[in-house]
Amino acid sequence: MLRVTANPETCAVSSLCVYRLPGVFDQDEDGLVVVLDETPESPLHEEVRRAARGCPTKSIHVTEE
Ligand code: SF4
């Protein structure tokens, strides 16, 4: 299982992750990252890993369980 978390304290409000995976990531009223789905289905795993790599502030963390 893949688990995804994100740290709003370091989020730079770039919205990259939200554009890439709108079903997994969202933004709060200040634009800071919110994780909608902490355990996305396996077809999304590679894209979640890409979003984590692509986050400019490394605010997305992926763990494989
Ligand atoms: S890609 Fe990173 S910095 Fe950009 S909104 Fe997502 S968590 Fe925040």
Side-chain angles (χ1 to χ4, degrees):
M1 188 175 72
L2 179 145
R3 184 173 296 275
V4 57
T5 57
N7 184 358
E9 292 182 13
T10 57
C11 172
V13 194
S14 71
S15 308
L16 288 175
C17 60
V18 181
Y19 287 134
R20 202 186 275 271
L21 282 161
V24 177
F25 300 103
D26 199 0
Q27 293 169 279
D28 69 12
E29 61 270 20
D30 296 319
L32 299 172
V33 65
V34 175
V35 176
L36 298 177
D37 183 1
E38 287 197 358
T39 55
E41 298 294 326
S42 53
L44 295 176
H45 287 185
E46 194 48 43
E47 196 65 7
V48 170
R49 292 188 195 99
R50 278 198 204 102
R53 286 197 298 270
C55 174
T57 56
K58 303 293 177 221
S59 299
I60 299 170
H61 301 282
V62 173
T63 53
E64 316 265 352
E65 297 175 2

